[in-house]
Amino acid sequence: DIPYLSQTGIHAALARNVELWKGGEGERWAKKVNDLAFAKKELFQVDEDIVSERRACAEKQDELARRRETARGQAEMNRRVLRELEEKLAGVKAVFSGRQDTYRRHEDEIIQSRQKMEGRVTQLNRRIDAERERTERLIKD
């Protein structure tokens, strides 16, 4: 009869479990269960650490992307300022070059004027010397 067989099987299984428990098998299995529970906790903690690290990496990537974008914007602004400064420098160079040309022209004019004056002074000194000699000759005669 089936209920008898099932009850007999249950009693046999219980008897075997009692024998195993008395033989220390239960303590070993309890230790294994505790070890597995501890390993499960450790795995859960490792999983949390991994999630946390991924989150931190994502935040760092976002920060890096923001900094990269900021650096690009700053570089573009620096290029724009550099172009403006180069344009201003070109204008200043043109003004400076024009002033240098004017300065050289004035310097040449001053040199020519000085040479003319020196020539006139030399000519006047000759006339004065000639007049002096003539006056001295007239006085002697």
Side-chain angles (χ1 to χ4, degrees):
D1 138 276
I2 294 178
Y4 174 76
L5 291 177
S6 64
Q7 188 175 6
T8 306
I10 292 172
H11 285 293
L14 286 173
R16 180 157 160 51
N17 284 344
V18 167
E19 287 175 23
L20 288 174
W21 186 260
K22 287 181 182 176
E25 195 66 29
E27 291 177 15
R28 281 191 292 266
W29 278 104
K31 184 179 181 317
K32 287 181 181 181
V33 167
N34 286 338
D35 289 347
L36 287 174
F38 181 75
K40 183 179 177 183
K41 287 179 186 176
E42 282 186 350
L43 285 175
F44 182 73
Q45 184 61 43
V46 167
D47 186 51
E48 284 182 353
D49 291 346
I50 289 172
V51 168
S52 175
E53 287 294 322
R54 284 182 181 161
R55 208 173 289 127
C57 285
E59 289 173 3
K60 286 179 182 179
Q61 285 178 340
D62 291 345
E63 177 66 22
L64 181 61
R66 280 192 298 276
R67 286 184 181 186
R68 189 178 298 132
E69 199 56 40
T70 301
R72 284 182 185 145
Q74 188 66 39
E76 181 58 36
M77 189 177 357
N78 289 345
R79 281 193 284 279
R80 190 174 36 243
V81 168
L82 182 62
R83 278 193 300 269
E84 291 173 6
L85 289 174
E86 286 173 343
E87 290 170 3
K88 287 180 182 180
L89 179 63
V92 169
K93 281 183 178 180
V95 169
F96 179 73
S97 178
R99 287 184 181 172
Q100 263 188 326
D101 292 343
T102 303
Y103 173 77
R104 286 186 188 126
R105 199 172 41 248
H106 286 296
E107 191 176 34
D108 290 344
E109 289 172 2
I110 290 170
I111 290 171
Q112 289 174 359
S113 176
R114 185 179 296 148
Q115 288 173 347
K116 285 180 185 177
M117 294 282 261
E118 287 174 356
R120 286 181 188 161
V121 167
T122 303
Q123 190 179 23
L124 285 174
N125 281 338
R126 285 184 196 151
R127 281 186 188 171
I128 291 172
D129 289 342
E131 223 22 74
R132 193 179 290 141
E133 287 176 12
R134 201 174 72 162
T135 306
E136 287 176 1
R137 274 190 241 144
L138 285 175
I139 293 177
K140 287 183 184 178
D141 289 340

